[in-house]
Amino acid sequence: MTLAELITQARETLNTSLAARQQEQDALMALRSDENLTEDAVAARVATRDAADAEVTRRQTALDQLVAEQVREEELTALAARTTPTGNRPPAYDRAARVGAEERTYRPDQDRRGSAFETDVAAAFIGDYEARDRLARHMQEERVERGDQLVRAAGTGAFAGLVVPQYLTDLYAPAAAARRPFADACRPHDLPPQGMTVNLSRITTATSTALQTENAAVSETDIDDTLMTINVQTNAGQQTLSRQAIERGSGVEPVVLDDLFRRYASTLDGTLLNQATNGLTNVATAVAYTDASPTVVEMYPKVLEGLAGVEAALLDQASGENIAVMHSRRWYWMQNAMSSTWPLISQPGITAQMSGVNLGTTYGSGVRGTLPNGTPVIVDNNIATNYGAGTNEDELYLVDRNECHLWEDPNAPMYIRAEQPKLASLGVLMVVYGYFAYTHARYAQARKIGGTGLVTPTFTGV
């Protein structure tokens, strides 16, 4: 077995250990929510979780050792190729070639616009072997620095997959994108390596207990489940560029690829929110807020009504990690309100007279703030703003984030394939794609606030 095969095997084993550790952590959190838990039970579960932690550490160490060994082997191979043993006297010190720290193949200090990388990609597809060698070195450098993310970036062909140097994507003004704030807040899972469905068993008929009359039959209800089938979906985009644009333009290819990445993220997130039948807007139970002159003070009780519905639906399955997901216009509207009233019950970390806390973070960076009852806020501009009869309403979602499940390929970032299907017209095709599956409906827990109270906001301080 080669070193590359051993590294691939070690990564797969590490992923399995990580999944097992997450299961142990989930089990521990579920146990802690049990009202009848004992210290011994918690200690036993913590010990099991810690054992899983140790296994992850052991697997990671083994992988790091293999990767380091592979890097060293490549360094020695390169060194052997650069030296030719002879019986001659060694050259003078100032005339001898020496090997030090090797620089990256594509460097921002030498090629800020990325033209060398673009030219090599195009040249490799018409048989330029030197360009292929440079791209191969670049891919090996990426595997060393980001190997855990690029296990399957390259396929069996010479250049089935290429990763654009990261510095190239930071030197221009990209088209704005809503990206994936809600998707990043969902409970993540690794997508199974095969199959186009994810199947879950859901108990639909529970057992029963009842007070027994002496000598009478004990209550019995046959437990039953229903198979929940979740489809694996493909998110993909492509762009065909002319060789003239790549070879004669400046920074064209990395700009296009980065824009495809942004559209990929936005499409994924928008699907989770808005897709017919399964999107959050279509599975959430409506909480109506109808008001011709809406105010933040009037809307806030609807938030509590929605959160109450989430917990009532989940009962002992509630994790307590509730989140509110809203459009940026709704978040700023809530911040604009001024009031002389405040909640009667204080919350941890919230000043009594405040109507929430703004954490001052940027869009897409996670939690933006908290509501007066401590619920974290996710701002996501993939939320539609054309609901209602006037096509000017948005919606505010309230969910237990651990019941918003998202399965993604563990080898993200997304794949890139550079091909040349139209040789006669000098075309270069770039494709970005990935597989995912999701569900918010394992339990009917999600709530959404909608209605005329959520029309385009006016910032009047109320």
Side-chain angles (χ1 to χ4, degrees):
M1 184 175 289
T2 65
L3 264 177
E5 291 171 337
L6 287 172
I7 290 173
T8 299
Q9 185 181 70
R11 286 199 178 100
E12 292 173 351
T13 305
L14 175 59
N15 287 336
T16 301
S17 298
L18 287 169
R21 192 270 177 196
Q22 185 60 50
Q23 289 178 352
E24 294 298 338
Q25 179 66 15
D26 291 344
L28 175 59
M29 296 305 296
L31 178 63
R32 283 173 171 165
S33 66
D34 188 347
E35 296 179 355
N36 300 316
L37 82 166
T38 64
E39 291 185 4
D40 290 343
V42 172
R45 181 56 67 181
V46 168
T48 304
R49 191 273 315 273
D50 290 346
D53 274 339
E55 180 66 12
V56 170
T57 301
R58 189 172 72 83
R59 297 297 184 182
Q60 180 63 57
T61 301
L63 175 58
D64 292 343
Q65 291 174 346
L66 288 171
V67 171
E69 184 177 346
Q70 183 184 50
V71 172
R72 181 56 179 163
E73 288 297 321
E74 290 167 354
E75 290 175 349
L76 293 174
T77 300
L79 180 61
R82 295 181 184 184
T83 59
T84 304
T86 67
N88 299 332
R89 180 179 178 181
Y93 182 87
D94 59 349
R95 296 179 179 275
R98 292 173 175 81
V99 178
E102 292 190 20
E103 298 289 352
R104 291 293 302 259
T105 304
Y106 304 108
R107 296 165 46 191
D109 59 329
Q110 294 183 348
D111 183 24
R112 293 182 63 83
R113 297 182 180 275
S115 58
F117 175 77
E118 298 170 14
T119 301
D120 283 349
V121 171
F125 283 95
I126 58 173
D128 187 328
Y129 292 103
E130 292 184 357
R132 291 187 176 187
D133 288 343
R134 287 190 293 271
L135 289 171
R137 287 198 301 272
H138 165 64
M139 286 303 297
Q140 184 56 43
E141 293 159 359
E142 287 292 306
R143 292 189 192 96
V144 170
E145 294 189 10
R146 295 191 295 144
D148 58 332
Q149 298 175 305
L150 305 174
V151 176
R152 290 184 287 184
T156 56
F159 299 101
L162 293 175
V163 177
V164 179
Q166 293 299 296
Y167 75 88
L168 298 184
T169 63
D170 298 329
L171 304 179
Y172 73 103
R179 305 294 289 266
R180 46 176 292 164
F182 174 59
D184 288 337
C186 290
R187 182 176 175 180
H189 306 278
D190 286 350
L191 189 69
Q194 294 179 329
M196 292 304 292
T197 59
V198 175
N199 297 311
L200 303 178
S201 174
R202 181 169 54 178
I203 302 299
T204 51
T205 301
T207 59
S208 65
T209 65
L211 299 178
Q212 182 212 19
T213 302
E214 187 175 357
N215 292 326
V218 172
S219 174
E220 179 182 14
T221 301
D222 292 337
I223 193 170
D224 193 15
D225 75 330
T226 299
L227 185 65
M228 184 177 187
T229 299
I230 304 164
N231 291 328
V232 175
Q233 303 185 61
T234 305
N235 182 10
Q238 66 174 333
Q239 187 72 196
T240 301
L241 293 179
S242 68
R243 283 179 55 81
Q244 290 89 338
I246 293 175
E247 294 181 355
R248 306 294 295 176
S250 177
V252 173
E253 187 166 1
V255 167
V256 172
L257 290 173
D258 183 62
D259 193 68
L260 282 169
F261 293 154
R262 292 170 179 273
R263 300 319 127 190
Y264 180 98
S266 300
T267 297
L268 172 66
D269 193 84
T271 301
L272 268 59
L273 289 167
N274 306 313
Q275 188 174 41
T277 307
N278 297 317
L280 185 57
T281 184
N282 291 305
V283 301
T285 301
V287 176
Y289 174 40
T290 304
D291 196 324
S293 301
T295 66
V296 176
V297 173
E298 291 173 347
M299 190 194 75
Y300 180 66
K302 297 295 182 180
V303 173
L304 275 296
E305 179 182 342
L307 290 169
V310 171
E311 185 165 320
L314 290 172
L315 298 178
D316 68 334
Q317 296 303 305
S319 71
E321 295 188 41
N322 298 327
I323 58 173
V325 187
M326 64 184 74
H327 196 278
S328 63
R329 72 180 194 177
R330 193 57 51 197
W331 174 233
Y332 284 102
W333 177 69
M334 294 187 72
Q335 291 182 58
N336 104 107
M338 309 291 287
S339 175
S340 60
T341 63
W342 52 85
L344 296 178
I345 299 176
S346 64
Q347 303 291 336
I350 307 294
T351 304
Q353 295 179 337
M354 296 296 101
S355 59
V357 175
N358 175 30
L359 299 180
T361 56
T362 58
Y363 180 86
S365 59
V367 175
R368 297 290 298 278
T370 55
L371 298 178
N373 72 327
T375 301
V377 173
I378 302 295
V379 172
D380 193 326
N381 281 5
N382 284 303
I383 295 175
T385 58
N386 61 350
Y387 292 114
T391 64
N392 61 346
E393 300 171 11
D394 55 80
E395 294 178 335
L396 191 159
Y397 303 104
L398 301 158
V399 297
D400 184 324
R401 62 167 295 274
N402 284 312
E403 284 304 325
C404 295
H405 299 269
L406 173 60
W407 290 263
E408 292 187 272
D409 192 304
N411 296 302
M414 287 67 71
Y415 301 99
I416 306 168
R417 287 186 178 178
E419 302 174 9
Q420 196 169 6
K422 299 179 179 180
L423 181 61
S425 58
L426 295 180
V428 176
L429 176 67
M430 294 177 292
V431 179
V432 171
Y433 72 94
Y435 304 113
F436 70 97
Y438 76 94
T439 183
H440 316 302
R442 197 170 73 132
Y443 296 97
Q445 50 92 24
R447 297 294 187 270
K448 65 176 180 181
I449 302 173
T452 55
L454 280 85
V455 296
T456 304
T458 56
F459 295 87
T460 58
V462 295

